[in-house]
Amino acid sequence: MRLLNRIIVAFLLVFLVLTCAQAGQVKRKVLVLYNGAEQRTAVDNSFIEGFAAPLNYLGFMYEMRDVSLRPLPSDEAMKEYRAVFTTFSEDLMNNPDEYLTWLIRQQKHGKQLIVAGTPGAFSDYDKISADPVLIRKLFSNLGFSYQGNATNDDYLLKYEHVDPVYMNFERKLPLFPDKYMQLVPVGKDVRSWVSIGLKGKPETIAAAVGVGPHGGFALDGYMRWQDPVNYQKQWYLNPFEFLRVCLDLKGMPALTPTTLNGKRVAFAHIDGDGFAGYTEIDKEKVCGEIIMERILGRYDFPTSASVIAGEINPAVKGSPDNVEMARTLFEMKNVETASHSYTHPFAWNAKLRNSEEYKDEFVVGQYELSGYKFDAHYEIVDSCDYISENLAPADKPCRVLFWSGMCEPTEAQVAIADKAGILNLNGGDTVFDSLRNSYFGVSPLYRALGTRNQIYTGQANENILTNLWSGPYFGFRNIVETMKRTGSPRRIMPIDIYYHFYSGEKFSSLKALEDVYEWALSQDTARVFASAYIKMVNGCLAAKVDKISSDRFVFQDYADCLSIRLGGMEKVPDLAKCRNVLGYDIQPEGIFVHLRPGTKRAELALTVDKTVNGNLPYLKNASGWVRNFERTAKGVRFDFDCFSKGRFELGGLLPDRKYRVVRKEGLPLEISSSNDGVLGVNGVVSGTVEIDLI
């Protein structure tokens, strides 16, 4: 018996070790390498414009590093990364052999490698070639045989194969191939999305875009097109699928802060510029009054509004009238209190602020006293304190800052906000419409600043769409197209009506703003304040994901990011085996899974049995938060928390049966479930909801 017990204990220990070895292996960060500090801005922008948004959509984050700074990260430091992404503008590098050896070691340790353009390490700056054995090994680890023979003579080349699904995503490849490097597929499960060869020489056929289980590559000329006049870009390859395959993400769930309980998140936020400015609409009023009357007073939509403290405070550049107007603004029920700094700095970064190009911009027209010297704490914390203590109701203190000017704070400045408990937003300027017709116009969710993060807006503001307020002044109406395209077929961004108070200056700009609000209100969304969305992104960035098996995942530290997207339709949550999962909603984009608020750990168990939850009531979707969800003998009970009035749907109920719905407001309702056991309730205010079978 003792021997049997020992065997059982040993077996359990081995099982636990193997389980722990599998768990915790989902690394959600990609290390992006560029070459040389002088290239940082161009490379950073290129990566952010191109791959960062699709990477965020897949639930991943990125970190930038200059490969010219040696030593390269240690193996211990690299444990937090899933992949290495290289994006270089040339094939020269200091000590390329050292770099290639390091990169090959990362491949050996299981890191995916994604090469966008070139590995960047064929020669050093004295034009001494790198060790060809290392280059061959690098590509061999990806499943391709590197045989050199590179040429840019496009008249010698011809296409042999172009994948009809993953290529020609936004624009067709050029008529003639751009360049050639002989990379021949040899590994198991590797694929060529684009194959080219020398004319009349079938033995030269090679991959220009290749993917496999360990990563992939795309040569320059086969990733994207750029207009030579206005520099607008479009994708040749599908960046979402390229990253998904190269990162080996099949079946991997993705945390998504753009969604709450199956609904797209929607909010509005206003920068304080023009609050006390002139308006042609009513000569007796200012822009702030017009916006309050014609927008905030008319549209039942959550709007986080900011003021520039220096424009309000009579001790700086304000007035008692401005104080009273700001107080009226923040007392409105659909308005969240926010700051747009104290003096509206144009350049937050000292290097830019003191440069010849921008030094005048910092002073001219800003709300500062003579002799003022930039003080980040004053701009961030003191502005919020002034608003909280002098302008906002006691129950609506200022805890949100909208960056001003160029919206490029430093890591230290974001740290000041974080330590004071102030949420930050602005930057990004997403535009995806008929003029900028590409996902290249979609920003990531955030900008990484060392250990801090600047949270980006959902869409661009009216200043961008009116050519820096030079006209056409109705241009902001076109942001609706961007909102549509960033919501479908991929919900890559929330709806964010982002504007300034000076939109109340012109008849046409005000009408455009009214049109945008009316469209947003016509959508079936989860309406929240900007602070809630910022917290969702922060939760997404901080979360940890463990893969226990192909059918079981554990999520931790997700805080306010309560939505998970399953890319495929093959499996659904097995709710009886899940923990802290409220339910799910099957949509064209995928399956959205809803986590229970106020929890730190959730377990997601999946099954191919689509009928498994047929008799288990669950949350299908809701336009707000669902707290304290519990199943009762005849139905469910929960606390609903939404902006204004919302709606929800439950699944897993008995089909074609009547249920009694008791809400906080109104008489009890009798509603019948559908023939597939779904029950929907509209016009619900925040409060306790009880649903029982009659």
Side-chain angles (χ1 to χ4, degrees):
M1 180 65 80
R2 287 184 178 179
L3 179 61
L4 179 61
N5 288 339
R6 288 176 180 176
I7 292 174
I8 293 173
V9 170
F11 173 80
L12 289 174
L13 287 173
V14 171
F15 174 78
L16 288 172
V17 169
L18 291 174
T19 300
C20 291
Q22 283 183 306
Q25 296 303 306
V26 180
K27 307 303 181 183
R28 300 177 56 233
K29 189 182 292 186
V30 173
L31 182 64
V32 181
L33 301 178
Y34 64 95
N35 188 8
E38 72 281 359
Q39 298 180 26
R40 170 62 192 260
T41 300
V43 174
D44 197 354
N45 289 344
S46 176
F47 174 81
I48 288 175
E49 286 183 358
F51 286 103
L55 195 67
N56 288 170
Y57 176 79
L58 295 170
F60 279 75
M61 299 160 287
Y62 64 92
E63 184 177 307
M64 310 289 293
R65 183 181 173 92
D66 180 1
V67 296
S68 69
L69 300 177
R70 306 293 171 89
L72 293 163
S74 66
D75 293 347
E76 182 66 27
M78 287 301 296
K79 286 183 179 180
E80 65 177 302
Y81 301 98
R82 184 180 185 87
V84 177
F85 185 107
T86 71
T87 170
F88 301 126
S89 58
E90 58 183 3
D91 289 321
L92 301 175
M93 179 182 294
N94 285 324
N95 201 343
D97 286 357
E98 178 189 47
Y99 166 73
L100 289 169
T101 301
W102 175 86
L103 200 54
I104 290 168
R105 191 167 70 251
Q106 304 315 312
Q107 291 179 298
K108 181 181 179 181
H109 292 165
K111 307 300 179 190
Q112 309 292 114
L113 174 62
I114 305 172
V115 179
T118 170
F122 285 100
S123 304
D124 67 15
Y125 285 104
D126 292 326
K127 302 298 177 67
I128 299 174
S129 297
D131 186 345
V133 173
L134 295 176
I135 297 174
R136 286 196 292 270
K137 181 63 175 175
L138 183 78
F139 283 106
S140 175
N141 289 340
L142 288 177
F144 294 83
S145 172
Y146 171 74
Q147 301 176 21
N149 303 321
T151 180
N152 292 335
D153 293 333
D154 54 3
Y155 66 91
L156 297 176
L157 305 174
K158 61 175 291 191
Y159 292 106
E160 297 292 342
H161 168 72
V162 175
D163 192 290
V165 176
Y166 300 127
M167 296 302 298
N168 299 326
F169 179 59
E170 293 177 342
R171 189 180 184 90
K172 287 187 176 181
L173 285 163
L175 186 60
F176 300 104
D178 184 68
K179 59 183 61 177
Y180 173 82
M181 182 188 298
Q182 196 165 3
L183 290 163
V184 181
V186 294
K188 183 180 179 182
D189 298 327
V190 300
R191 289 177 290 159
S192 296
W193 286 3
V194 177
S195 298
I196 56 177
L198 300 176
K199 294 177 181 177
K201 297 182 178 180
E203 71 277 7
T204 65
I205 296 175
V209 178
V211 298
H214 307 294
F217 65 89
L219 301 182
D220 284 327
Y222 304 96
M223 284 187 295
R224 62 190 178 194
W225 167 87
Q226 180 170 291
D227 190 300
V229 177
N230 61 21
Y231 304 110
Q232 295 294 321
K233 304 179 183 73
Q234 285 186 308
W235 287 105
Y236 292 135
L237 59 75
N238 183 327
F240 299 92
E241 289 302 306
F242 182 69
L243 289 171
R244 184 186 64 80
V245 175
C246 289
L247 291 171
D248 192 23
L249 300 182
K250 184 177 181 180
M252 188 70 66
L255 285 151
T256 171
T258 65
T259 300
L260 175 64
N261 289 330
K263 303 292 186 183
R264 187 182 185 187
V265 169
F267 61 96
H269 80 282
I270 314 175
D271 283 353
D273 309 54
F275 181 67
Y278 163 84
T279 172
E280 65 184 31
I281 296 171
D282 186 336
K283 303 298 176 61
E284 302 298 319
K285 296 179 180 179
V286 295
C287 286
E289 293 173 293
I290 296 297
I291 293 298
M292 282 190 278
E293 292 175 6
R294 297 284 294 271
I295 301 297
L296 304 179
R298 288 178 57 196
Y299 297 111
D300 191 20
F301 197 85
T303 301
S304 302
S306 68
V307 294
I308 303 166
E311 183 185 31
I312 309 302
N313 188 351
V316 185
K317 290 293 183 75
S319 69
D321 287 344
N322 289 356
V323 169
E324 289 305 312
M325 189 165 59
R327 288 173 177 170
T328 301
L329 169 70
F330 294 134
E331 286 172 356
M332 301 184 78
K333 291 183 178 179
N334 60 336
V335 170
E336 178 178 56
T337 309
S339 168
H340 196 42
S341 78
Y342 223 119
T343 72
H344 197 276
F346 180 78
W348 288 79
N349 187 297
K351 184 177 181 180
L352 292 175
R353 190 167 61 250
N354 298 326
S355 68
E356 289 296 319
E357 183 178 2
Y358 294 115
K359 66 179 183 180
D360 291 337
E361 295 281 356
F362 179 66
V363 178
V364 176
Q366 305 306 310
Y367 305 94
E368 53 200 23
L369 293 174
S370 177
Y372 169 74
K373 293 184 178 180
F374 179 81
D375 181 340
H377 190 278
Y378 176 74
E379 299 289 353
I380 299 167
V381 180
D382 290 357
S383 70
C384 289
D385 286 348
Y386 172 78
I387 293 169
S388 295
E389 295 166 7
N390 298 277
L391 308 177
D395 61 343
K396 295 171 63 175
C398 182
R399 292 291 180 265
V400 183
L401 175 80
F402 300 147
W403 301 109
S404 61
M406 297 178 69
C407 299
E408 292 187 351
T410 65
E411 178 182 3
Q413 290 161 359
V414 175
I416 290 172
D418 288 347
K419 290 175 182 178
I422 297 170
L423 302 168
N424 81 92
L425 182 70
N426 268 0
D429 297 332
T430 287
V431 179
F432 187 3
D433 55 22
S434 58
L435 292 178
R436 191 167 183 175
N437 187 17
S438 173
Y439 278 101
F440 271 104
V442 179
S443 81
L445 299 174
Y446 71 105
R447 181 168 73 110
L449 293 166
T451 60
R452 307 291 172 172
N453 298 300
Q454 172 189 353
I455 310 304
Y456 278 158
T457 65
Q459 285 85 30
N461 58 50
E462 86 283 42
N463 194 48
I464 303 295
L465 275 74
T466 59
N467 299 303
L468 306 184
W469 203 240
S470 64
Y473 294 107
F474 57 79
F476 192 52
R477 181 184 293 116
N478 294 333
I479 202 64
V480 169
E481 187 65 22
T482 295
M483 292 173 174
K484 291 178 180 178
R485 294 187 181 195
T486 53
S488 179
R490 298 170 185 84
R491 194 177 296 163
I492 194 169
M493 282 290 178
I495 292 173
D496 177 7
I497 308 176
Y498 171 29
Y499 60 103
H500 303 76
F501 279 105
Y502 57 67
S503 269
E505 178 184 335
K506 307 284 185 180
F507 284 98
S508 56
S509 60
L510 184 64
K511 181 61 170 67
L513 189 55
E514 291 171 344
D515 290 346
V516 176
Y517 265 91
E518 287 171 6
W519 177 84
L521 282 166
S522 72
Q523 305 302 298
D524 186 8
T525 61
R527 289 178 280 164
V528 304
F529 286 111
S531 61
Y533 171 69
I534 297 169
K535 291 177 182 178
M536 291 174 189
V537 178
N538 285 333
C540 179
L541 299 179
K544 300 178 181 64
V545 183
D546 293 342
K547 181 178 180 181
I548 307 305
S549 69
S550 61
D551 294 330
R552 186 171 170 231
F553 297 85
V554 173
F555 299 84
Q556 299 182 76
D557 302 330
Y558 40 81
D560 294 270
C561 185
L562 302 172
S563 185
I564 298 166
R565 187 188 63 254
L566 305 176
M569 302 289 190
E570 300 86 7
K571 300 176 182 178
V572 298
D574 186 344
L575 295 175
K577 297 180 180 178
C578 293
R579 296 292 180 271
N580 288 325
V581 173
L582 297 177
Y584 61 95
D585 195 11
I586 300 175
Q587 300 182 16
E589 184 178 352
I591 299 175
F592 288 93
V593 180
H594 327 315
L595 303 184
R596 186 185 295 270
T599 57
K600 295 182 179 180
R601 188 178 189 276
E603 297 181 23
L604 175 63
L606 302 175
T607 178
V608 295
D609 182 3
K610 300 293 181 68
T611 66
V612 67
N613 303 306
N615 295 311
L616 191 67
Y618 64 88
L619 181 68
K620 189 173 186 292
N621 57 64
S623 61
W625 289 269
V626 171
R627 310 181 195 277
N628 303 316
F629 184 92
E630 59 178 328
R631 298 178 180 92
T632 61
K634 292 186 177 182
V636 297
R637 182 185 185 279
F638 57 86
D639 296 326
F640 189 51
D641 181 7
C642 68
F643 174 83
S644 188
K645 293 184 178 181
R647 66 184 307 272
F648 61 82
E649 286 187 327
L650 301 177
L653 301 176
L654 295 176
D656 299 314
R657 298 290 296 273
K658 281 190 176 182
Y659 285 83
R660 180 183 176 86
V661 180
V662 179
R663 307 157 296 162
K664 180 180 179 181
E665 288 187 1
L667 296 174
L669 303 174
E670 289 188 5
I671 303 177
S672 295
S673 60
S674 65
N675 57 13
D676 55 355
V678 175
L679 182 146
V681 184
N682 299 320
V684 186
V685 301
S686 296
T688 301
V689 178
E690 294 187 30
I691 299 176
D692 293 316
L693 179 67
I694 297 177

